[in-house]
Amino acid sequence: MEKKPTIKTIAKIAGVSHVTVSKALRNAPDISAQTKVRISQIAKDIGYTPNAAARNLSTSKSATIGMIVPAMGENTAYNAIFNEISACAAENGYCVMLGSSHRDIEIEKKHCKMMIENRVGALIVASCTSDVSHIKEQCKGVVPVLFIGGKTNPHEEFSMLCDYRYSAVLAVNYLYELGHRDIAFFSYGPDN
């Protein structure tokens, strides 16, 4: 397998320093337009692609968002949620790293740890349990976390949840307006 071209490869071909190449590719004002064009052409010719991990280290910013959900698939809401978040992220220059916990706290912890190690800029988590202390502990002071859906406690700070009471009112009113009077609600657990 051939080694991928780097900014050092471009620098060698162009006869300039790798710092000059880096600045030219970032459109820095202290690099001439002629040099920028020449370096961009060399980069294109040799198939250079920027190393996002290296850029993240040098800028201390990440263009990656981590997302952990209990499960993925056509029968889950997380499929649609991930698709929307991913599309919006891409439009704004971000990438989404996805992990499925399979409703297992240990796997959820591992995904959280690996995503932090991979320097995600933020985490979106639909936890498989209402106790999210294991996630908060790992992320504390390292990366911001937004909790969504799942079994997240409605009083959890930085959470975005459905208003189930309002949803129930809408559903019952709709059925009532259709003339139904015997309305029942089934739930599979007291937390739901």
Side-chain angles (χ1 to χ4, degrees), residues 15-90:
V16 297
S17 73
H18 70 278
V19 174
T20 300
V21 173
S22 176
K23 286 179 155 190
L25 294 173
R26 285 185 285 118
N27 200 24
D30 60 334
I31 303 296
S32 74
Q34 181 183 357
T35 303
K36 289 176 189 176
V37 168
R38 189 165 142 256
I39 287 174
S40 292
Q41 188 59 52
I42 293 169
K44 183 179 176 185
D45 291 346
I46 67 171
Y48 168 78
T49 53
N51 182 335
R55 183 178 59 240
N56 293 347
L57 282 174
S58 68
T59 62
S60 297
K61 292 181 182 178
S62 176
T64 305
I65 300 166
M67 185 170 175
I68 305 170
V69 298
M72 286 295 287
E74 294 298 320
N75 297 329
T76 71
Y78 300 112
N79 199 39
I81 292 169
F82 172 74
N83 287 338
E84 291 300 318
I85 288 172
S86 181
C88 184

Side-chain angles (χ1 to χ4, degrees), residues 4 23 25 34 43 49 57-58 70 79 82 99 110 121 125 134 138 159 164 174 185-186:
K4 292 181 181 179
K23 286 179 155 190
L25 294 173
Q34 181 183 357
T49 53
L57 282 174
S58 68
N79 199 39
F82 172 74
K110 287 177 184 176
V125 181
H134 59 286
Q138 287 206 18
S159 62
Y164 294 110
Y174 175 73
F185 171 73
F186 294 94

Side-chain angles (χ1 to χ4, degrees), residues 109-124:
K109 284 182 191 177
K110 287 177 184 176
H111 276 305
C112 187
K113 183 178 184 294
M114 287 185 290
M115 288 183 183
I116 290 170
E117 288 171 354
N118 278 285
R119 304 293 192 256
V120 296
L123 263 178
I124 299 170

